[in-house]
Amino acid sequence: MPMKYQIYSSHNYRQIPQIEKLSKEDLQSIDVVGTVLPFKTNNYVINELINWDNYRDDPMFILNFPQKGMLKPEDFETIKQLFNRQADKTELKDAANKIRHQLNPHPAGQSHNVPILNGEKLMGAQHKYPETMLFFPTQGQTCHAYCTFCFRWPQFIGMDDIRFAMNQVDSVIAYIKEHPEITDLLITGGDPMVMKASILDAYITRVLDANIPHLQSIRIGSKSLSFWPYRYTTDVDADDIIRTFEKVSKAGKNLAFMAHFNHPRELSTPAVEQAISRIRSTGAQIRTQSPLLNHINAIAKTWSDMWTRQVKLGLIPYYMFVARDTGAQEYFGVSLLKAWDIYRRAYNKVSGIARTVRGPSMSCTPGKVRICGVTEVMGEKVFVLEFIQGRNPDWVARPFFARYSADAQWMDDLQPAFGKKEFFFEPELAEMLLD
Ligand SMILES: *Cc1c(COP(=O)(O)O)cnc(C)c1O
Ligand code: SF4
């Protein structure tokens, strides 16, 4: 029997049976914050993942349900007042929009990574690092539930005109053919696994039929194993998904499934175990990644448990990210110092097999910057950093130094060490951004 997919959002969440456990104040917080930031959950998360007896501190509840602390107190108050005097919809919307614009909706200079094909911009794609092309299929621009920390939040509230609104797989294929350095095509979203099997199959078959010798891997980035594992087991087209995945291996390409897991509990249900086992049976490899999030997983043991459990299930730990500088970063953000400390204490507890993970890493304008650690050089306390990915590949794997700061949370908060005026890559980056 297929599991029925039931969605809840601001409009109907009070119908969730467990919601009667919430205090009046917590219900109001959901209404207020849910006016500004996206909110969506579903019956799997509600029934299988959340611990309702301790919902206030429950990482899975905090992962899906809007939290009071996600807005600045004065912004929270503004929206609350409007609710209390039953302001009309336009007034609420205007106030919400004003707050949204202050939440850095477009971090990390994404607009500079748009690929050009025959002089025209390819809007449904990004090409920032030479080997990997990102493709955002139109039908995959939502998710089975929304993470409260999501950095793509503007697209879920209609703030971004989703200019990815064309069926551009043929242009993506033509672009890859012209770029022999591209070995990986990453299909991403939102979540591409919200697409019907037939649509996903059409995209993948087109790519395989194009028979591009330098294309080695098709990657799929998805949170579906956490939010809707039935996608691979009981959904009406679950078997079709599995067959599409098999096609990739049969065509001699690697299918790399990039799974987003934020907490070990997401790996604990029979449904997710079954889904993982079905995906792995197709020959696909599953790698995992997650940001480090205050209130959700900012504890070393949570990470060591998560990586250990992943290895047991045959998954490959891949990235630990620093929460991005957008949306409710003040609520979810962790200092770089604390991020490194958590990483170190989790990493040194797990088997070498789990030490495939790299982090903590910031996805910022120049590239993915890893915090290697804190040390002292010639009497100055410094952060040691390195690029895992760089806009210029030559920047990668060269240690560089930033002045120590106990509360820096992002690259922008860091200054070069040793009295230098700029980081080594900055002049070149400035030139790149002029284009
Ligand atoms: C992380 C990322 C990739 C993939 O990088 P890998 O290190 O190969 O996983 C590609 N494009 C962008 C924009 C990214 O942020
Ligand atoms: S699954 Fe990814 S894109 Fe979707 S809401 Fe969560 S973080 Fe955002």
Side-chain angles (χ1 to χ4, degrees), residues 319-338:
Y319 274 136
M320 174 202 265
F321 292 119
V322 177
R324 291 200 194 216
D325 54 340
T326 176
Q329 194 212 14
E330 286 192 27
Y331 184 76
F332 291 113
V334 170
S335 72
L336 301 180
L337 181 65
K338 188 168 175 188

Side-chain angles (χ1 to χ4, degrees), residues 251-298:
K253 308 275 183 200
N254 174 39
L255 180 67
F257 191 100
M258 315 304 283
H260 302 197
F261 289 109
N262 308 122
H263 193 276
R265 199 177 310 150
E266 295 168 312
L267 293 150
S268 70
T269 69
V272 74
E273 279 187 29
Q274 239 182 17
I276 288 170
S277 143
R278 283 206 92 188
I279 293 174
R280 293 189 67 224
S281 76
T282 67
Q285 292 169 326
I286 307 177
R287 285 181 178 71
T288 65
Q289 60 192 49
S290 170
L292 176 54
L293 303 154
N294 206 2
H295 306 287
I296 292 181
N297 61 20

